[in-house]
Amino acid sequence: MSKSELRKDKTCLNCRYVVENKFCPNCGQENTDTRKTFVQLFVHFFEDLTHYENSFWKTIRNLMFKPSSLTKEYLSGKRMSYLAPIRLYIFISFVTFFLFSVIPDSPSDETVKVNENQAKPMEQIIVTEADSINKAKDNLEKKKWIADMEKNGYIDKKVADTLQKTIDDKKAPTDGSDYMNFGYRSVEHLDSIQKFGKADEKLNGFEYWVNKKILMVKKGRTQKEVYDKVTESFIHNIPKALFIYMPLFAFVLWLFQDKKRWYYFDHGIFTLHYFSFLLLASLILELFNFFVGLMGNNSITNGIIYMIDTIIIVYMLYYFFPAHHRFYEQSRIKTIIKGILMFFINMIILTFILVGLFFYSFINIH
């Protein structure tokens, strides 16, 4: 429980009702001093987030190791002992995606990349440097960059001459000549065809918008830069996709269950708990791989990672069946048959959502 001191004034700050005990009998607000130190503020925030006392760890334990127990307890009316489903999902979702964004790649992976770069022959180094130099704004800036690298000893004269030659021989690039080429060199080329081209060359409104957006995204970017931008935007938008997908997942559950016994609300609570489990299991998997990866890249750590990853992934796939069986109280045969059918239906829905998410991520690159 909160350890804040009670106010001497018995008048509730929220509704002005007389408070005889700790909580206001009219609005339920705790009659404690609102001014807190930083430590008290942090503790209070954590208590609010975890719903006081040990309810947080009790919720997490049941979520991980007792499939469907949280859902059954919540729907039976026992709601004060556990985190509310929406609060639980939001908390786990926030922590999971936040840590995913800040956890760096495995140090062993970085070491391998460095070693691979050191082992490259001279021709590959030339190609790599040429690709980096091509990002410069104009040829004069590129040549100055090459001269500075030669002067500082980063490359020898042979490499510098080769890089200079690639600049002199390189033709002016166009937006539509290298990758994702749909026959248009630039936005200006597309607009000119749309305005002055023949009727059979012009695009309809949607096709014109898509092609123009592709050219605008590609402009001034290499293929790798576009890929990195799309990937970053895609990962950033996954939480939004999950919010869209969860109601559809609950709807599929509703289709396969007794409509008189189960309301859509019941399936929604089951879905919130199930997706909270999937996110938490994914976070545990990521953290485990990261910390074991700190021990180095060798056969022992790789074996441990492979074994634990396999166990967690298999458990994530298996979890739905006992949760479904215990919550809906159906035979194992029905649970397996319905589970397989729902799996394929959800795969179709998820595919459409991911394709839409990829398209949305692409067109929103700035």
Side-chain angles (χ1 to χ4, degrees):
M1 281 299 226
S2 176
K3 302 300 189 300
S4 300
E5 293 185 4
L6 294 178
R7 295 173 59 244
K8 294 180 180 179
D9 186 355
K10 298 299 182 181
T11 304
C12 177
L13 293 173
N14 184 55
C15 66
R16 313 307 299 173
Y17 201 84
V18 177
V19 183
E20 296 295 339
N21 298 308
K22 188 169 189 178
F23 295 95
C24 174
N26 184 51
C27 68
Q29 177 168 292
E30 190 176 16
N31 191 34
T32 55
D33 190 359
T34 56
R35 300 182 64 187
K36 302 178 184 295
T37 65
F38 177 79
V39 174
Q40 289 174 329
L41 185 65
F42 178 80
V43 171
H44 186 70
F45 168 77
F46 188 77
E47 286 176 342
D48 278 347
L49 199 60
T50 58
H51 200 59
Y52 302 107
E53 295 182 349
N54 65 343
S55 60
F56 174 75
W57 299 113
K58 185 178 180 181
T59 301
I60 296 300
R61 183 177 66 250
N62 286 10
L63 178 69
M64 292 298 295
F65 303 111
K66 295 182 179 180
S68 85
S69 66
L70 283 179
T71 311
K72 295 179 73 173
E73 292 277 86
Y74 182 83
L75 294 177
S76 70
K78 299 177 181 178
R79 303 179 181 181
M80 294 302 295
S81 300
Y82 306 96
L83 293 186
I86 294 179
R87 177 181 289 190
L88 174 67
Y89 176 80
I90 292 175
F91 174 72
I92 294 178
S93 177
F94 170 78
V95 173
T96 298
F97 289 109
F98 173 74
L99 290 180
F100 277 180
S101 66
V102 300
I103 293 177
D105 294 331
S106 173
S108 58
D109 294 339
E110 297 296 328
T111 303
V112 171
K113 291 177 183 179
V114 172
N115 292 336
E116 287 176 351
N117 289 334
Q118 292 175 347
K120 285 182 179 179
M122 183 61 68
E123 292 79 4
Q124 292 185 19
I125 295 176
I126 293 173
V127 172
T128 302
E129 295 297 340
D131 181 64
S132 300
I133 291 169
N134 285 336
K135 298 176 184 177
K137 294 180 180 180
D138 51 45
N139 289 345
L140 184 62
E141 182 179 343
K142 295 175 184 178
K143 291 184 176 182
K144 184 177 182 301
W145 188 3
I146 296 172
D148 289 341
M149 288 195 299
E150 181 184 4
K151 180 179 178 181
N152 294 326
Y154 295 120
I155 57 176
D156 58 24
K157 189 176 185 306
K158 180 180 178 181
V159 175
D161 291 342
T162 304
L163 292 174
Q164 293 280 8
K165 188 174 185 301
T166 61
I167 293 175
D168 294 334
D169 294 342
K170 187 175 178 61
K171 297 179 180 180
T174 59
D175 292 336
S177 62
D178 46 0
Y179 61 98
M180 295 178 68
N181 184 358
F182 297 99
Y184 305 103
R185 296 189 299 273
S186 63
V187 174
E188 292 74 20
H189 180 222
L190 174 63
D191 287 340
S192 65
I193 292 178
Q194 198 70 3
K195 289 181 180 179
F196 308 110
K198 298 178 182 179
D200 59 347
E201 294 178 336
K202 295 182 179 181
L203 305 175
N204 62 43
F206 179 73
E207 291 174 334
Y208 169 73
W209 178 79
V210 170
N211 279 276
K212 185 173 183 177
K213 188 63 184 179
I214 291 173
L215 290 169
M216 291 173 64
V217 169
K218 290 169 53 180
K219 188 173 183 180
R221 295 188 177 100
T222 64
Q223 185 173 358
K224 184 178 183 305
E225 288 173 332
V226 172
Y227 173 80
D228 291 341
K229 283 283 187 180
V230 172
T231 302
E232 179 183 353
S233 179
F234 183 87
I235 295 173
H236 178 74
N237 288 312
I238 286 179
K240 300 176 185 176
L242 286 179
F243 271 110
I244 296 173
Y245 177 48
M246 283 194 297
L248 298 175
F249 185 91
F251 177 73
V252 173
L253 288 172
W254 177 82
L255 290 176
F256 281 83
Q257 305 302 333
D258 185 352
K259 311 298 184 298
K260 295 181 180 179
R261 182 181 180 187
W262 303 104
Y263 297 113
Y264 181 82
F265 175 81
D266 304 331
H267 308 305
I269 299 302
F270 179 91
T271 299
L272 283 169
H273 284 145
Y274 179 56
F275 275 71
S276 297
F277 161 77
L278 292 178
L279 287 174
L280 184 58
S282 300
L283 176 60
I284 292 173
L285 186 68
E286 179 72 14
L287 290 174
F288 174 80
N289 288 339
F290 172 72
F291 285 113
V292 175
L294 295 176
M295 299 168 60
N297 187 11
N298 53 67
S299 58
I300 297 177
T301 56
N302 290 341
I304 294 173
I305 289 175
Y306 177 80
M307 180 178 64
I308 300 300
D309 283 3
T310 301
I311 293 173
I312 295 177
I313 292 172
V314 170
Y315 185 61
M316 290 171 67
L317 296 174
Y318 164 79
Y319 184 94
F320 174 80
F321 292 96
H324 184 278
H325 169 66
R326 295 170 187 173
F327 180 68
Y328 294 104
E329 298 177 350
Q330 296 175 337
S331 67
R332 287 183 173 84
I333 297 298
K334 281 188 177 181
T335 297
I336 293 173
I337 294 173
K338 288 184 177 182
I340 293 174
L341 290 174
M342 285 188 286
F343 174 80
F344 284 108
I345 293 173
N346 277 288
M347 284 300 100
I348 294 172
I349 295 173
L350 189 58
T351 299
F352 278 106
I353 291 176
L354 292 177
V355 171
L357 180 61
F358 175 83
F359 183 72
Y360 175 81
S361 301
F362 182 86
I363 64 176
N364 281 279
I365 293 178
H366 300 293

